[in-house]
């Protein structure tokens, strides 16, 4: 496939990442069986927020982490930089990120509130990102669960994975589903 360079300039550092862009379906093709033409790119919906995790940022201790929030209505503006209100060294705040029109979700896989590397998630009101976020931790958290390994969100749900949850066997993992409109409710 083709390689594209994407540069994100945060004001403090420049991050460059290569992304592979497939140009044709995989397969074994010869001159007698040419590869099919690439499919057109699907329609894209531009979200209001671009959220970039910088989990190795050192503002609040080595690898405490941070997140840059860009407003797609004004990408030339300086992004808003978020750090955890209770940041600590090696929390990896920003390891995982997700956003909707009204929520910004940030994972900190090494947060230690419920044991070393138990993990946490911070949920920001995207319309007031200067307000203190809601912090979520797993109700059954344990050391080295890495809660927030991945996060994703829809308008009404927040999904948080933990890769080393042991409820169904050693390091079997789990996904917690939160009601995005009632973060105090126990997840399913």
């Amino acid at each position: 496939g083709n390689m594209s360079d994407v540069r994100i300039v945060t004001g403090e550092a420049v991050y460059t990442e290569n992304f592979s862009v497939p140009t044709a379906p995989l397969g074994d093709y010869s001159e007698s069986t040419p590869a099919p033409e690439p499919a057109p790119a699907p329609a894209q919906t531009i979200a209001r927020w671009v959220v970039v995790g910088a989990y190795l940022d050192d503002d609040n201790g080595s690898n405490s982490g941070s997140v840059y929030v860009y407003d797609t209505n004004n990408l030339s503006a300086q992004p808003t930089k978020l750090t955890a209100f209770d940041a600590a060294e090696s929390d990896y705040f920003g390891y995982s990120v997700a956003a909707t029109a009204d929520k910004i979700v940030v994972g900190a896989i090494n947060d230690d509130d419920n044991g070393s590397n138990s993990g946490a998630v911070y949920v920001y009101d995207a319309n007031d990102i200067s307000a203190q976020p809601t912090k979520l931790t797993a109700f059954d958290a344990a050391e080295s669960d890495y809660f927030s390994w991945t996060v994703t969100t829809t308008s009404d749900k927040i999904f948080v994975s933990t890769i080393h949850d042991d409820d169904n066997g050693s390091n079997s993992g789990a996904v917690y589903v939160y009601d995005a409109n009632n973060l105090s409710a126990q997840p399913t």
Side-chain angles (χ1 to χ4, degrees), residues 40-46:
Q44 304 250 337
T45 303
I46 301 298

Side-chain angles (χ1 to χ4, degrees), residues 1 22-39:
T23 57
L26 297 176
D28 188 14
Y29 302 104
S30 65
E31 287 183 27
S32 62
T33 310
E37 290 297 315

Side-chain angles (χ1 to χ4, degrees), residues 44-69:
Q44 304 250 337
T45 303
I46 301 298
R48 169 74 195 273
W49 310 107
V50 174
V51 182
V52 180
Y55 66 92
L56 298 178
D57 186 75
D58 297 331
D59 282 8
N60 293 302
S62 179
N63 302 329
S64 56
S66 65
V67 168
Y68 295 89
V69 180

